[in-house]
Amino acid sequence: MKNIFLLILLFPFCAQSQISVQAYGGNKETELLGIYNKDFSRKWNYFASGTISYDYESKKINPELYQNINYGIVKNLGISAGVHLSDKDIMPSVGVAYGKENDVFAVNIFPAFTYSTDAKEFGLGLYTLLEYTPKINEQLNLYSMLIVESDFSFKEHQSSSQIIRLGIENKKKMQFGIGSNISQTGSDFDTDTNFGVFIGKKF
C-alpha cells in the first residue's frame, strides 16, 4: 500500500509539473527522474525531485519524492520546509534553501533538520542539485548534472546517494549521455554503483 501511495503522488508530479525529465538505464536498475523548480512570487518557491526506479534483481519498483516550499529572506537564500517520501520512510524537514542560476550554471542546496518517522529519530539532511551546460557550438552544449543527497541521525550516517550525468544537450534541450547512480548506507558506508546511459528533456 505504501508503494501505491507513493506512485499516486509521483504520477501527477511527472505529468503536470515537470520541467525536466530523464530516463536512465543502468546495469542494475532503470530509473525515471523528474525535477521541478517554480517561483510563485519574488519570495515563494516550490522545488521537487522525484524518481521511480526498477531493480532488475529484486524486480521491485521503488518510488521516491523529495519536495519543499521555500521562502526567500535575502537574495538567493531563504528558509525551507518539506518532506522526503520513500517506500522506507516519511521524513519531514525544516532548514535553509540556497538557489542561483545563470545561462550555463544552476545550483540548489537544501541543508535541513529532519525527523525519521520510521526510526523515530531526529537528524540532519542535505540535498544538492548542480547543473553545468557550457556551449560547445551554436547547436550543442555540454551537459553535466550532479545530485547529492545525504541523511544522518545524530548518532551515525544513514544513507547517501549521488546521481551523476555527463553528455550533450541540443538547442531543443534534449540530452543524452552516460552516468552513474551511487549509494552508500549505514555507518560503514556500504557502497553500490549503477552505471548506464540516459536520455532527457527540459521543458
Side-chain angles (χ1 to χ4, degrees):
M1 288 300 295
K2 198 172 186 179
N3 276 346
I4 294 171
F5 171 70
L6 287 166
L7 285 169
I8 290 169
L9 286 174
L10 279 170
F11 284 139
F13 161 75
C14 292
Q16 298 174 11
S17 303
Q18 168 191 64
I19 62 168
S20 179
V21 64
Q22 289 182 6
Y24 178 73
N27 63 308
K28 297 179 180 180
E29 284 187 346
T30 296
E31 178 184 272
L32 181 66
L33 166 68
I35 299 170
Y36 178 66
N37 190 3
K38 173 69 174 178
D39 291 326
F40 290 102
S41 68
R42 293 181 59 189
K43 293 289 187 180
W44 290 99
N45 167 271
Y46 173 73
F47 179 89
S49 174
T51 60
I52 300 174
S53 61
Y54 175 74
D55 186 285
Y56 306 144
E57 184 176 351
S58 68
K59 304 187 185 310
K60 184 179 179 183
I61 295 174
N62 300 299
E64 190 168 351
L65 177 62
Y66 175 90
Q67 59 181 343
N68 52 38
I69 295 289
N70 310 297
Y71 180 78
I73 303 298
V74 297
K75 184 178 180 180
N76 303 322
L77 187 66
I79 56 176
S80 178
V83 62
H84 183 180
L85 302 169
S86 71
D87 61 340
K88 301 179 180 67
D89 204 355
I90 298 175
M91 189 178 297
S93 65
V94 292
V96 177
Y98 176 82
K100 188 172 183 180
E101 184 175 356
N102 57 36
D103 291 341
V104 298
F105 181 75
V107 56
N108 290 277
I109 303 174
F110 305 103
F113 291 102
T114 63
Y115 178 74
S116 169
T117 58
D118 180 63
K120 305 292 190 297
E121 288 184 345
F122 289 96
L124 299 172
L126 174 67
Y127 180 98
T128 302
L129 168 62
L130 302 172
E131 285 187 291
Y132 181 56
T133 56
K135 183 180 289 188
I136 297 175
N137 54 42
E138 293 303 317
Q139 302 297 321
L140 296 174
N141 297 331
L142 174 70
Y143 178 78
S144 59
M145 182 186 77
L146 172 66
I147 297 176
V148 177
E149 192 169 358
S150 294
D151 291 305
F152 294 81
S153 72
F154 287 123
K155 298 177 182 178
E156 62 181 12
H157 171 262
Q158 300 295 315
S159 64
S160 295
S161 65
Q162 301 85 44
I163 296 176
I164 303 167
R165 303 289 185 262
L166 180 62
I168 299 296
E169 180 182 77
N170 66 18
K171 292 179 68 174
K172 295 183 178 180
K173 300 297 183 181
M174 289 289 299
Q175 308 133 2
F176 61 92
I178 60 173
S180 65
N181 290 5
I182 306 168
S183 63
Q184 300 87 26
T185 56
S187 58
D188 294 330
F189 287 81
D190 295 328
T191 301
D192 184 71
T193 304
N194 181 35
F195 294 104
V197 296
F198 76 95
I199 182 168
K201 168 71 174 173
K202 283 188 178 180
F203 297 91

